[in-house]
Amino acid sequence: MSYLQVLDKTFIPLLSESQILDRIQNIADEINQDYKNKQPLFLVILNGSFMFASDIFKKLSIQSRISFVKIASYKGLVSSTENPITAIGLDQNLHGQDIIILDDILDTGKTLYRFVHDVVLPMHPNSVKIGVLLYKPKACVFDIKADYVGFEIDNRFVVGYGLDYDGYARNLPEIYQLKS
Ligand code: IMP
Ligand code: MG
């Protein structure tokens, strides 16, 4: 068992590169089937999802488009309980489109919940599905479900394959979890 050191934290291997790529092939097969006669628009949430999106997109045989968005929350001028969010880089009109949102991980669910309800649904797309590589069922507290899930994992911090600790470890082709 080879440990990974990132800054002050130690990680142990969780998913190998071939496990990840095999599972992504399965998800791509499902999407190719589900969207056979459609032309979905993929919305990829940066930064963590860039590897997942790239690998899944290469395995698609349907006609589809992809767009990358970064979620930011900004402080409103009037006081409110929640800061509004904005999707930087989202320049398409989603009206009538079949949308597939891709994210690296469904953790508390806050990011996806806010993106779907504040940004995507108000534009009246034809349909919305969500694909995530990782899902932490024990961490998810928002009312949001993914339609395509790579792996269900424990409620432990993970890095690699796009996911970072303080900006580092995104480059690794496999996924590691925090050593207890
Ligand atoms: P949320 O809590 O579901 O809103 O997750 C927000 C974002 O936090 C995810 O899209 C990831 O970028 C990041 N994140 C959540 N859990 C982890 C983790 O275990 N490792 C690295 N990043 C994470
Ligand atoms: Mg993310």
Side-chain angles (χ1 to χ4, degrees):
M1 177 93 69
S2 51
Y3 289 163
L4 168 76
Q5 189 69 30
V6 184
L7 305 176
D8 60 329
K9 300 216 184 313
T10 307
F11 294 83
I12 57 172
L14 179 65
L15 296 164
S16 70
E17 183 175 14
S18 63
Q19 279 177 295
I20 295 167
L21 293 178
D22 286 354
R23 186 70 191 108
I24 286 178
Q25 181 67 63
N26 296 337
I27 294 175
D29 291 343
E30 261 187 78
I31 293 175
N32 284 329
Q33 197 61 37
D34 294 349
Y35 289 82
K36 220 179 330 188
N37 300 309
K38 295 180 176 159
Q39 293 167 10
L41 169 63
F42 286 83
L43 296 181
V44 179
I45 300 181
L46 293 172
N47 291 324
S49 308
F50 72 99
M51 278 199 197
F52 175 44
S54 167
D55 282 332
I56 206 161
F57 207 62
K58 280 182 272 184
K59 295 172 167 52
L60 296 177
S61 53
I62 47 169
Q63 292 204 45
S64 56
R65 293 166 301 151
I66 191 164
S67 190
F68 295 84
V69 298
K70 194 151 188 169
I71 308 287
S73 63
Y74 51 90
K75 300 242 189 297
L77 294 174
V78 290
S79 62
S80 71
T81 46
E82 278 286 358
N83 295 325
I85 66 155
T86 179
I88 300 166
L90 182 58
D91 45 15
Q92 285 94 345
N93 187 351
L94 308 185
H95 185 268
Q97 306 277 345
D98 293 305
I99 303 298
I100 304 177
I101 301 167
L102 296 181
D103 204 0
D104 50 359
I105 185 165
L106 180 50
D107 188 47
T108 66
K110 183 176 180 174
T111 309
L112 280 169
Y113 183 88
R114 296 294 304 278
F115 182 57
V116 168
H117 290 276
D118 297 359
V119 177
V120 177
L121 290 179
M123 288 200 236
H124 304 290
N126 182 54
S127 68
V128 180
K129 284 197 181 188
I130 296 173
V132 295
L133 181 65
L134 304 174
Y135 172 43
K136 292 180 184 170
K138 293 206 178 78
C140 194
V141 292
F142 282 78
D143 184 19
I144 192 98
K145 289 271 174 297
D147 303 278
Y148 305 101
V149 174
F151 303 90
E152 284 196 10
I153 61 168
D154 290 343
N155 192 7
R156 301 258 294 277
F157 191 76
V158 292
V159 293
Y161 196 73
L163 291 128
D164 73 301
Y165 170 47
D166 213 6
Y168 292 93
R170 292 193 197 274
N171 56 303
L172 303 169
E174 55 281 307
I175 291 172
Y176 294 79
Q177 77 177 6
L178 189 63
K179 184 175 173 291
S180 51

